[in-house]
Amino acid sequence: MRDYSVPASFTVGEHDTVAASVFSHAADDPDHVVIQRLVDGSWTDVTCAQVADQVRATALGLIAEGVQPGDRVAILSATRYEWAIVDFAILSIGAVTVPIYETSSAEQVRFVLSDSGAVAAFAESDEHFRTIEQLKDELPALRHVYAIAGSRPAALDELARIGGGTDPEAVTARLAAVKSADVATLVYTSGTTGRPKGCQLTHSNLLHEMRGAKACFPALLDKGEKLLVFLPLAHVLARAITIAAFANRVTLGFTSDVKNLVPILGVFKPTLVVSVPRVFEKVYNTAEQNARDGGKDKIFAAAATTAIEWSQAKAGGGRPGLLLNLKHALFDRLVYGKLRAALGGNCRAAISGGAPLGARLGHFYRGVGVTIYEGYGLTETSAAITVNRVDDVKVGSVGKLVPGNAMRLADDDELLVRGGVVFGGYWNNPSETDAVFTDGWFHTGDLGAIDDDGFLTIVGRKKEIIVTAGGKNVAPALLEDRLRAHPLISQAMVVGDAQPFIAALITVDPEAFPGWKQRNGKDPSATVGDLAEDPDLLAEVDLAVKDANQAVSHAESIRKIRILPVDFTEDTGELTPTLKVKRKVVAEKFAADIDALYAKPGH
């Protein structure tokens, strides 16, 4: 069993904390615009000094309300400016932030508040506030609920008023008492395989992530750069990159308005974007769909092929040939510039995590001029533990170790990790903690491969491996990624456990469907359910199936598909807030469709 490790190029002191940069920035660079806040449709500058003042005022209010070091304080909110301020305020008084996804059901909110024993909670909207208020009788520890927005007094104003008589040095004293080994946050797993578990991440864990990120991206995380945060801050990737960017004085912007992301990007003009693969897939698929609808599908196809070939030619330090460079330059003027404009025009790079990106998309975006640095990590590893980095990229891999960490592959190829970013255990759950650690190594549950250069590739989830009736082991992620590459396909779930062959459930992208119906002469009012057996639709999806099957052996290939009448969504329960498919939920909800795939004719 070979170990891979990379020593830390930095240190974390006994009293280093995540919130310390808030006040050091105010002292060292008070007038630097560290956040741009969206107010009434306009981006308004917020300086380091202003951030520190607001964080201190909020923290003083929490102290006045009796919040003690180690107390858990929840935030139920979408990504917005106040989220970051509240988070820093909680951390600066030695309390523990408990993020809750704004899309959570009342039962999920109840579980996290109850399990964490939160003494206070911040609710973004009137609806969120009502949800928590209705649960208060079941939550004896919960003493205060604050409204971030909505019809009630705004939390930041209220806490500034409540803490107005408290000595400002109380925050300084609280922060000085915090140790890097103290728990900073309880981040609950998204629950794809069962009840969420609260991951205890310390200040040290997050600082190793922040400083490791800076070591991997020294130019991208620097003063003068701009990052627009639109992923949920309840997700560890968005949270970790936000605090890393803030610590390095990158100018931050926050929005949860993903439907209007393109115009927002056009105004904010980030230099760096952080996202999950589904967003990059949607940008690509929308561009391809627009090209088809405009009769320019052949030009787009040629441009996409050229971008991928150009990027592939650069792999391993190679150089594209003269003809390929000429084609690339032509398409840069015709196509690629428009795609870069969709990301705001100034975006030089992107970071992707949370799910597999796939080599095809990675090569495409690098060819377009926006390199996506794919990484790998879990909530339990404070976000990334491996990442591709500038001048050290292997497209299709998830990169090399973040400094200060180690990895190894078990005999069954499960990835084991340990190091500065790896958490210490689950909150109030010693049995689950013991189950995932062996001699200090954390079992990720993912199957991996490590090449001679130290680049990690994720093969699939150990629990998601499908074993057919013939004994063939199949990792569904590769097939599903290639299926989703087709602009008409929204989601795909490969099935076939204990069955004679591999099959797939397919959902159709609701944004692409109207254009497809128009091009193929279908009734504009027809639903996906109406056309699920339509020969033209089946033929279109079959093209994606044939492409996916090229990546696997005959025994692993998809033999049958079933087009579902509805898409998977978070609201209907099939997707997590980070857009991962809840396989168990889908298998239960669409059991009849799966059975139909394996039903013998006449039965």
Side-chain angles (χ1 to χ4, degrees):
M1 191 181 291
R2 185 175 167 194
D3 292 355
Y4 299 79
S5 63
V6 176
S9 54
F10 51 84
T11 58
V12 173
E14 183 184 359
H15 285 280
D16 283 359
T17 67
V18 172
S21 62
V22 172
F23 305 104
S24 62
H25 288 349
D28 301 339
D29 201 357
D31 297 326
H32 172 62
V33 177
V34 73
I35 295 177
Q36 286 187 310
R37 183 182 183 185
L38 199 56
V39 180
D40 297 328
S42 299
W43 290 100
T44 304
D45 292 347
V46 185
T47 66
C48 291
Q50 290 170 324
V51 169
D53 287 345
Q54 197 152 33
V55 169
R56 188 181 293 274
T58 305
L60 288 169
L62 291 173
I63 290 173
E65 291 277 75
V67 177
Q68 299 296 316
D71 280 351
R72 278 77 59 204
V73 180
I75 306 176
L76 173 60
S77 171
T79 294
R80 57 189 296 149
Y81 167 79
E82 292 90 346
W83 209 113
I85 298 297
V86 169
D87 187 25
F88 280 132
I90 295 166
L91 297 176
S92 68
I93 63 169
V96 177
T97 302
V98 182
I100 306 177
Y101 286 101
E102 80 279 5
T103 51
S104 297
S105 67
E107 172 56 28
Q108 290 168 324
V109 172
R110 187 202 64 76
F111 174 77
V112 172
L113 291 175
S114 174
D115 189 70
S116 67
V119 302
F122 288 80
E124 179 181 24
S125 65
D126 287 342
E127 183 182 353
H128 291 135
F129 194 95
R130 283 194 298 272
T131 296
I132 296 175
E133 280 287 301
Q134 289 166 3
L135 295 168
K136 279 192 77 175
D137 290 344
E138 304 174 51
L139 303 166
L142 188 67
R143 300 194 300 269
H144 308 288
V145 185
Y146 307 106
I148 293 174
S151 60
R152 293 171 175 80
L156 298 190
D157 296 336
E158 271 292 282
L159 286 167
R161 180 186 61 78
I162 292 168
T166 305
D167 182 359
E169 289 305 306
V171 176
T172 306
R174 282 282 194 97
L175 184 58
V178 178
K179 293 184 177 181
S180 58
D182 292 342
V183 175
T185 186
L186 287 185
V187 184
Y188 281 78
T189 58
S190 55
T192 53
T193 56
R195 176 157 276 192
K197 299 184 287 286
C199 298
Q200 300 180 88
L201 301 180
T202 64
H203 285 266
S204 179
N205 289 147
L206 294 172
L207 287 164
H208 273 88
E209 181 70 17
M210 293 158 59
R211 291 171 186 176
K214 176 62 174 176
C216 295
F217 302 110
L220 295 176
L221 292 175
D222 209 356
K223 183 178 177 179
E225 302 299 310
K226 296 185 74 176
L227 170 67
L228 182 69
V229 182
F230 52 85
L231 290 180
L233 279 166
H235 188 250
V236 73
L237 172 61
R239 179 104 164 284
I241 201 69
T242 295
I243 56 180
F246 184 90
N248 291 288
R249 288 180 282 188
V250 173
T251 299
L252 289 160
F254 300 97
T255 184
S256 60
D257 188 3
V258 178
K259 288 183 178 177
N260 292 305
L261 194 57
V262 171
I264 291 170
L265 288 164
V267 177
F268 186 79
K269 297 188 180 302
T271 56
L272 176 66
V273 167
V274 179
S275 189
V276 291
R278 190 67 187 127
V279 173
F280 296 119
E281 285 174 350
K282 291 289 282 185
V283 170
Y284 175 91
N285 289 346
T286 300
E288 185 177 24
Q289 196 64 52
N290 290 342
R292 284 188 177 193
D293 294 344
K296 297 179 179 178
D297 48 330
K298 290 182 179 177
I299 293 174
F300 184 88
T305 299
T306 299
I308 292 167
E309 290 177 351
W310 186 85
S311 174
Q312 289 171 336
K314 291 177 72 70
R319 300 175 67 177
L322 177 62
L323 180 59
L324 186 53
N325 270 329
L326 288 171
K327 286 169 63 179
H328 186 266
L330 172 64
F331 287 125
D332 192 68
R333 291 196 299 273
L334 294 176
V335 178
Y336 307 153
K338 294 175 183 175
L339 285 166
R340 291 195 297 272
L343 293 170
N346 291 345
C347 186
R348 305 196 315 274
I351 296 173
S352 177
L357 176 70
R360 172 192 57 85
L361 270 185
H363 281 302
F364 171 78
Y365 276 99
R366 183 161 74 162
V368 163
V370 180
T371 301
I372 298 178
Y373 298 101
E374 188 175 9
Y376 165 81
L378 304 164
T379 307
E380 291 89 342
T381 62
S382 314
I385 192 165
T386 69
V387 72
N388 282 282
R389 58 204 73 180
V390 180
D391 299 326
D392 202 8
V393 178
K394 193 167 284 188
V395 176
S397 80
V398 289
K400 296 180 179 180
L401 282 166
V402 172
N405 299 288
M407 63 181 173
R408 62 163 51 160
L409 296 178
D411 293 338
D412 62 355
D413 290 333
E414 182 183 7
L415 178 68
L416 312 182
V417 296
R418 68 179 179 189
V421 302
V422 179
F423 82 140
Y426 298 111
W427 174 257
N428 284 340
N429 204 335
S431 61
E432 283 286 345
T433 301
D434 291 342
V436 295
F437 279 99
T438 302
D439 298 328
W441 291 90
F442 171 65
H443 290 251
T444 65
D446 286 309
L447 302 175
I450 305 170
D451 69 14
D452 292 340
D453 297 319
F455 284 90
L456 173 69
T457 301
I458 298 299
V459 177
R461 286 292 290 172
K462 190 174 176 179
K463 290 181 180 178
E464 290 177 2
I465 293 296
I466 293 168
V467 183
T468 65
K472 185 66 179 178
N473 285 15
V474 180
L478 177 60
L479 288 163
E480 290 164 355
D481 168 58
R482 292 184 73 125
L483 286 170
R484 287 196 307 269
H486 193 285
L488 194 58
I489 295 177
S490 176
Q491 295 290 346
M493 191 176 101
V494 172
V495 297
D497 208 42
Q499 297 290 352
F501 57 84
I502 295 296
L505 301 177
I506 304 288
T507 73
V508 172
D509 191 317
E511 294 176 20
F513 191 49
W516 181 87
K517 286 188 291 185
Q518 184 179 9
R519 288 193 307 277
N520 288 273
K522 306 300 177 183
D523 182 350
S525 64
T527 65
V528 174
D530 295 335
L531 299 177
E533 301 291 333
D534 181 87
D536 293 329
L537 184 60
L538 290 170
E540 184 89 23
V541 173
D542 192 50
L543 292 173
V545 172
K546 287 177 178 175
D547 176 75
N549 285 343
Q550 288 178 7
V552 297
S553 69
H554 179 69
E556 298 168 279
S557 63
I558 297 167
R559 310 286 178 83
K560 289 180 73 174
I561 60 159
R562 190 161 178 94
I563 297 175
L564 301 178
V566 293
D567 195 9
F568 300 158
T569 69
E570 189 184 347
D571 290 340
T572 50
E574 300 91 3
L575 299 182
T576 71
T578 53
L579 307 183
K580 294 190 188 83
V581 173
K582 294 183 179 179
R583 308 185 79 87
K584 185 179 178 183
V585 171
V586 172
E588 291 172 355
K589 189 175 282 192
F590 299 98
D593 293 278
I594 295 173
D595 289 343
L597 285 164
Y598 297 101
K600 294 178 181 178
H603 286 247

